[in-house]
Amino acid sequence: ASGAWVGGINQLLNRSIAKAGKKNDYDVDTFSVSVMDTIDLSDSWTLHLGLRADRFDYSNITADRGAPTFTTWEYSDTLWNGNVGLVYTLNEQGNVYLNYSTATNINGGESDVGANCGYGGLCGSVGIVKDSKPEELENIELGTKWDLFNNKLLLTAAVFQITKDKVMESQSGFDYDTNGFLNSGENRVEGVEISAAGNITDDLSVVFGAALMNAKVRDSYDPANIGKTLANFADKSAYLQLRYQLTDAFAMGAAATYSSDVYTGQPDSAANENLGVPSYTVYDLFASYQVNDDLSLRLNVNNVTDKDYYFTAYRSGSFTYIGDARSAQLTVSYSF
């Protein structure tokens, strides 16, 4: 029935559908080994150490639109990363920690864009990209955790700095190596985040998180990009959910999600500060009822105000990515 329906629509619009040949065959095989250790230096000080090795074999066979031949991108490597953390226990409820960790990303492009430079795909000389350096990430975090109300409520706060170096950049329409953009970018995100999760009282529970961040391009093939914020990056965000247990069987709650404005552009690149989407706040409601030991009901109403909101926009501003409209879902669960 669905096939006949689609065929009828295509006839009406004077269109035809034909399955094209494969343009992209993407494959990554990974073998990983990690070791971790926790060392109690004293009653108050604890040291955490970790080391990880990732061995990968990468293969991506691509063809440009309409091209008669395919390009095979293949290479293998072993990536080493680690973390070291120091925790100071203040008392039974709280601690302070300092952590340093690294990560690496292979230069494999995006799996679904093949060799399209303009969308972050692999492009240029096969040997050049193969011999490029992995993108490196470094994270430094200082934070504190507190267990309150007999370990029923967890509060956390942290300041952090994430630096991404050796970022592969491509100017739209040009290969990575045509203008020397290989491993030319560096980005940094600095921020603070707080969260709460658990019970405030026996009946009232909360899930809360908020982050305030500042993203900057620190290095780029184009000096004009340096100092700009990152594309598709919300520097302020928050989430709050409150749930109240009215009776032993019935509970209800509400949630709010906030995101600040976002500017367009390619991922890991400087934002186009002339194009973007505004901030938004979306509200949800939910309720649950335990009919008996086996039967339960749950109602979710998302975006109750039916607000029009957008996650981001296409880099040219031609279209936007709209959020979900108001919806309701009733779930019936029965265990046996």
Side-chain angles (χ1 to χ4, degrees):
S2 60
W5 184 82
V6 171
I9 291 294
N10 286 325
Q11 266 192 335
L12 181 64
L13 298 177
N14 195 26
R15 296 188 310 186
S16 62
I17 296 177
K19 187 175 181 180
K22 183 169 57 177
K23 297 298 183 184
N24 182 222
D25 189 356
Y26 177 91
D27 184 70
V28 181
D29 294 324
T30 305
F31 178 78
S32 303
V33 177
S34 62
V35 293
M36 297 183 64
D37 193 17
T38 300
I39 304 170
D40 291 324
L41 303 177
S42 69
D43 291 340
S44 300
W45 291 95
T46 303
L47 180 66
H48 300 270
L49 299 171
L51 183 65
R52 180 185 176 102
D54 294 279
R55 173 68 184 181
F56 71 89
D57 293 299
Y58 173 88
S59 174
N60 198 352
I61 303 172
T62 67
D64 292 331
R65 186 178 302 167
T69 59
F70 288 81
T71 301
T72 301
W73 314 75
E74 291 182 323
Y75 68 108
S76 302
D77 201 356
T78 300
L79 308 177
W80 293 88
N81 291 286
N83 71 279
V84 55
L86 191 61
V87 180
Y88 180 71
T89 301
L90 298 168
N91 51 45
E92 293 183 356
Q93 286 75 42
N95 64 46
V96 176
Y97 66 89
L98 177 64
N99 189 74
Y100 173 84
S101 60
T102 64
T104 49
N105 293 331
I106 66 171
N107 293 324
E110 297 293 337
S111 61
D112 58 347
V113 296
N116 192 320
C117 304
Y119 295 88
L122 283 171
C123 54
S125 303
V126 174
I128 290 289
V129 177
K130 172 183 175 181
D131 295 334
S132 65
K133 298 178 181 179
E135 296 175 343
E136 298 178 352
L137 287 92
E138 176 187 80
N139 178 54
I140 303 172
E141 183 174 330
L142 174 65
T144 183
K145 298 179 184 290
W146 291 84
D147 281 314
L148 304 179
F149 306 147
N150 294 321
N151 297 327
K152 292 181 179 179
L153 180 66
L154 175 64
L155 302 180
T156 66
V159 293
F160 59 88
Q161 175 183 282
I162 302 173
T163 304
K164 189 173 186 178
D165 195 11
K166 298 183 175 63
V167 177
M168 293 184 71
E169 296 182 286
S170 66
Q171 184 178 344
S172 179
F174 292 94
D175 295 347
Y176 285 113
D177 56 328
T178 299
N179 294 336
F181 303 158
L182 199 67
N183 293 125
S184 54
E186 181 180 333
N187 310 322
R188 174 170 289 177
V189 176
E190 298 172 330
V192 56
E193 59 181 355
I194 56 175
S195 69
N199 278 71
I200 300 174
T201 68
D202 289 341
D203 298 321
L204 180 63
S205 63
V206 62
V207 177
F208 171 73
L212 177 63
M213 298 176 287
N214 181 37
K216 294 293 182 185
V217 175
R218 291 168 49 87
D219 198 6
S220 173
Y221 72 88
D222 184 356
N225 291 334
I226 298 175
K228 291 184 176 181
T229 189
L230 290 175
N232 307 307
F233 184 87
D235 54 9
K236 295 182 285 291
S237 61
Y239 176 79
L240 173 64
Q241 175 186 290
L242 293 173
R243 179 182 183 275
Y244 191 76
Q245 192 74 38
L246 289 167
T247 69
D248 290 341
F250 182 68
M252 62 183 301
T257 303
Y258 167 78
S259 175
S260 62
D261 50 3
V262 169
Y263 296 104
T264 67
Q266 277 189 203
D268 282 327
S269 67
N272 180 352
E273 296 177 347
N274 295 317
L275 291 173
V277 297
S279 62
Y280 66 84
T281 303
V282 177
Y283 301 98
D284 305 324
L285 296 175
F286 61 90
S288 62
Y289 185 72
Q290 191 71 37
V291 180
N292 53 46
D293 291 342
D294 299 320
L295 179 63
S296 64
L297 307 175
R298 182 176 179 89
L299 175 65
N300 292 85
V301 182
N302 299 320
N303 191 5
V304 293
T305 62
D306 202 23
K307 179 181 178 62
D308 290 331
Y309 68 101
Y310 308 90
F311 296 114
T312 186
Y314 186 61
R315 60 184 182 178
S316 68
S318 301
F319 58 85
T320 58
Y321 300 90
I322 190 170
D324 293 333
R326 180 170 53 212
S327 63
Q329 181 179 10
L330 177 63
T331 303
V332 180
S333 299
Y334 184 80
S335 60
F336 54 90

